[in-house]
Amino acid sequence: MSNIKKAFENGKAFIPFITCGDPDLETTAAVVRAAVKNGADLIELGIPFSDPTAEGPVIQAANIRALSGGVKTDKVFDLVRELRIDVEVPMVFMTYANVVFSYGSEKFISTCAEIGIDGLILPDIPYEEKDEFLPICRKYDVDLISLIAPTSENRIGMIAKEAEGFIYIVSSLGVTGMRNEINTDLESIVSNIRENTDVPCAIGFGISTPEQAKKMSDLSDGVIVGSAIVKLLAEYGKDAPNYVGAYVRKMKDAIR
Amino acid sequence: MSNTEGRFGVHGGQYIPETLMNAVNELEQAYNYYKNDPEFNRELSELFNNYAGRPSRLYYAEKMTKDLGGAKIYLKREDLNHTGAHKINNVLGQALLAKKMGKTRLIAETGAGQHGVATATAAALMGMECVVFMGEEDTIRQALNVYRMRLLGAEVVPVKSGTKTLKDAVSEAMREWTTRISDTHYCLGSVMGPHPFPTIVRDFQAVISKETKEQMLEKEGRLPDAVIACVGGGSNAIGSFYNFIEDKDVRLIGCEAAGRGIDTFETAATISTGRLGIFHGMKSYFCQDKDGQIAPVYSISAGLDYPGVGPEHAYLHDIGRGEYVAITDEEAVNAFEYLSKTEGIIPAIESSHALAYAMKIAPDMDKDKIIVVTVSGRGDKDVAAIARYRGEDIYE
């Protein structure tokens, strides 16, 4: 068990997602610090990928901005080293399998451990393929986060029993992005998870307003917000840290 | 090593979002049931024979053989199928399967538009809704195929993300599938993507080599010395190879698109220039940079313009059973013109890559050797583009 449990010790957890290098790594560092200062409990750092198949248009565009700004995996590692000077909350990477695999899985995951990354979220690694990375993650004590989707149904028990760190519940069908309504029966998904594990679970995909966050956090242990934050970066660029800080404050206050 | 089904050596697997796992599991179960169901097979044969025009001809290209002065060359005429390419074999199989599964809507990706047209055709025939994702670049390059799909009743969605070509169309179709699963089947067009697609598509395309083998035994009383086919994702190639894999004396040769050359960045020759990676649901070889970012690829042929290759080809390469060679734009265009003039057959620019390699090796082979080249599609769709390549100012 890594550091991640600490994120769930201050009431319901608020987990912001930030694409590294959008629009540049200095801004990413400032945004992370602003989010932490305003109550973020765990930071999900996206390493950009050329073809992010689980993302909606907002985060796709952030990936393109970051890659065209010249972000490389090694530079993201340097960013985390620099952040760890003063940032103490747990941090996880969200990226795609090929970014890890192509870097050399062992080299990537051992570097995560060395620089203070607590977990990995890989949306293109389902339960059936987790052995690709799990033995190495275990060796270096980095949690491989499991995802559970509205279509998981009979798979929930199997996934939950082996989950580590926290469980990422995908709120809706489809890709990331803001939604007006979330219609999935999340209550029964969460109760199914609870029957199988004590690992905390957080809900993501489609959450942008304090009201939605409150509703989702009442059902679970925390909420993950990506596109709404990435949208602030798209809009304000280098000036985004203050806006993200204020937004995180508002969201954390809503779920406390 | 991962423990999933659907591995070809280290390649293959199911690297997809959790949201899709039950959908691919359901597909696998349905396929395993129907592939042995006599009624399903009877209906599929009926469609192959009476709708698509199978079996396709195995044609002895006598003039080409004499002109090249070496091995005897046969052409497997997939270009004569309904809709003009091998794509219809896979699409009829998957559409019938989807229908049996109770799905009412087909989605598909397309590059040049051949797979999109085939899917729209099957959807029209079976009364299903159809949405085709096509890179915006390709909708401009292949405007006529866009109209063709619409004529057949399909909706065509131009994909504006990434490089706006085939790989982005695949990504967008996958995204769409995660949004709407219960009534929708993703009719993937090549032997790629997550298990069970590489196996399903191969099995439906294997009719090519099944026929070739029978026809060859009938005409020559023996097996060919080499089978040559072009490889993008690799569906016509695996279909052409499959029933010969156990016949170790038959060389299996896949021709990738080198574009402007494998020593340039403007290439789509995955096995020649790529390395092992994980993308679009599978582990295989991909054109990518040092950080694992998928590379933009280039070929004059929109149908071979894909940065990956099907996992079974990656495996045949690894074990040395398949030979994979790279053919440049220029070589393919020469073969396109050569076959048109020599045999009166205008081949697809994709298939011209395979013909180009046959032209390279046939002259040095003995006259009692036999080569089969799969002409995967007809070249009508390419005429304007080739004319422009040769400096003519012609648009469709």
Side-chain angles (χ1 to χ4, degrees), chain A residues 9-46:
Chain A
E9 286 168 355
N10 322 303
K12 305 285 181 169
F14 183 73
I15 306 172
F17 167 86
I18 299 149
T19 304
C20 293
D22 170 28
D24 54 48
L25 289 164
E26 294 69 39
T27 307
T28 305
V31 167
V32 170
R33 290 192 166 98
V36 172
K37 201 173 133 199
N38 286 284
D41 298 292
L42 189 159
I43 304 288
E44 189 185 335
L45 290 172

Side-chain angles (χ1 to χ4, degrees), chain A residues 2-256:
Chain A
S2 70
N3 232 354
I4 287 176
K5 61 177 180 298
K6 287 186 195 154
F8 296 89
E9 286 168 355
N10 322 303
K12 305 285 181 169
F14 183 73
I15 306 172
F17 167 86
I18 299 149
T19 304
C20 293
D22 170 28
D24 54 48
L25 289 164
E26 294 69 39
T27 307
T28 305
V31 167
V32 170
R33 290 192 166 98
V36 172
K37 201 173 133 199
N38 286 284
D41 298 292
L42 189 159
I43 304 288
E44 189 185 335
L45 290 172
I47 305 182
F49 181 52
S50 51
D51 301 80
T53 46
E55 312 296 349
V58 171
I59 298 180
Q60 282 179 46
N63 279 277
I64 291 167
R65 287 195 297 273
L67 287 173
S68 39
V71 168
K72 304 276 177 213
T73 305
D74 280 328
K75 291 186 186 172
V76 172
F77 289 149
D78 289 341
L79 165 80
V80 174
R81 285 190 185 95
E82 194 273 324
L83 282 170
R84 274 299 181 216
I85 294 169
D86 56 293
V87 173
E88 288 173 357
V89 301
M91 290 196 273
V92 300
F93 278 144
M94 199 302 300
T95 191
Y96 287 78
N98 203 44
V99 171
V100 180
F101 182 80
S102 129
Y103 193 85
S105 302
E106 177 128 18
K107 194 172 143 209
F108 186 100
I109 293 163
S110 63
T111 307
C112 287
E114 174 212 316
I115 65 180
I117 285 292
D118 302 289
L120 270 182
I121 302 172
L122 302 170
D124 52 352
I125 295 293
Y127 179 87
E128 281 75 359
E129 297 296 350
K130 67 179 181 167
D131 283 353
E132 184 76 50
F133 302 116
L134 191 62
I136 310 171
C137 284
R138 290 239 165 93
K139 181 171 166 192
Y140 293 97
D141 216 8
V142 172
D143 287 334
L144 185 61
I145 307 301
S146 299
L147 291 97
I148 285 176
T151 49
S152 294
E153 296 167 358
N154 55 334
R155 300 167 49 81
I156 294 175
M158 164 182 95
I159 298 169
K161 277 193 186 90
E162 295 179 25
E164 297 174 348
F166 74 96
I167 290 173
Y168 190 134
I169 301 177
V170 176
S171 75
S172 320
L173 290 179
V175 292
T176 57
M178 296 177 274
R179 289 167 169 79
N180 293 327
E181 274 182 74
I182 293 169
N183 299 319
T184 308
D185 181 7
L186 292 163
E187 225 169 319
S188 70
I189 293 179
V190 173
S191 77
N192 197 341
I193 293 173
R194 298 279 194 237
E195 284 165 23
N196 289 285
T197 182
D198 298 328
V199 169
C201 49
I203 302 177
F205 275 45
I207 302 168
S208 62
T209 66
E211 295 71 33
Q212 285 174 324
K214 171 79 175 107
K215 210 169 141 192
M216 293 298 126
S217 69
D218 284 346
L219 295 172
S220 66
D221 304 306
V223 295
I224 305 158
V225 172
S227 294
I229 288 170
V230 169
K231 209 168 156 231
L232 291 173
L233 277 141
E235 198 173 340
Y236 299 108
K238 288 176 193 298
D239 299 325
N242 287 335
Y243 293 93
V244 174
Y247 177 77
V248 170
R249 167 72 56 190
K250 189 171 67 173
M251 295 293 275
K252 178 68 186 177
D253 284 347
I255 65 172
R256 246 175 235 282

Side-chain angles (χ1 to χ4, degrees), chain B residues 226 241 250-255 316-317 320-325 357:
Chain B
F241 296 170
V250 180
R251 289 172 66 189
L252 306 175
I253 306 172
C255 301
L316 292 176
H317 168 73
R321 181 66 189 92
E323 303 166 46
Y324 293 86
V325 298
Y357 195 68

Side-chain angles (χ1 to χ4, degrees), chain B residues 234-248:
Chain B
S235 71
N236 96 80
I238 210 77
S240 302
F241 296 170
Y242 188 63
N243 288 287
F244 293 109
I245 291 175
E246 298 301 319
D247 303 309
K248 304 289 182 208

Side-chain angles (χ1 to χ4, degrees), chain A residues 50-52 73 129 132 152, chain B residues 7 14-15 18 167 291 293:
Chain A
S50 51
D51 301 80
T73 305
E129 297 296 350
E132 184 76 50
S152 294
Chain B
R7 289 272 167 183
Q14 295 179 301
Y15 299 88
E18 170 60 21
K167 85 173 160 83
D291 276 32
Q293 307 294 343

Side-chain angles (χ1 to χ4, degrees), chain A residues 124 126 129, chain B residues 4-8 12-17 20-21 23-25 27-28 170 174 177 186 188 190-201 279-283 286 306 311:
Chain A
D124 52 352
E129 297 296 350
Chain B
T4 48
E5 300 285 308
R7 289 272 167 183
F8 303 93
Q14 295 179 301
Y15 299 88
I16 48 170
L20 291 177
M21 278 308 300
V24 297
N25 288 342
L27 177 63
E28 183 180 4
V170 175
M174 284 183 169
W177 204 24
Y186 178 15
L188 228 164
S190 193
V191 284
M192 46 153 298
H195 174 70
F197 284 106
T199 299
I200 292 181
V201 179
F279 183 50
H280 278 164
M282 60 183 171
K283 187 182 271 184
F286 295 97
Y306 181 73

Side-chain angles (χ1 to χ4, degrees), chain B residues 59-70:
Chain B
Y59 166 73
Y60 171 43
E62 192 174 357
K63 272 185 78 193
M64 183 177 176
T65 299
K66 286 192 173 139
D67 182 60
L68 295 171

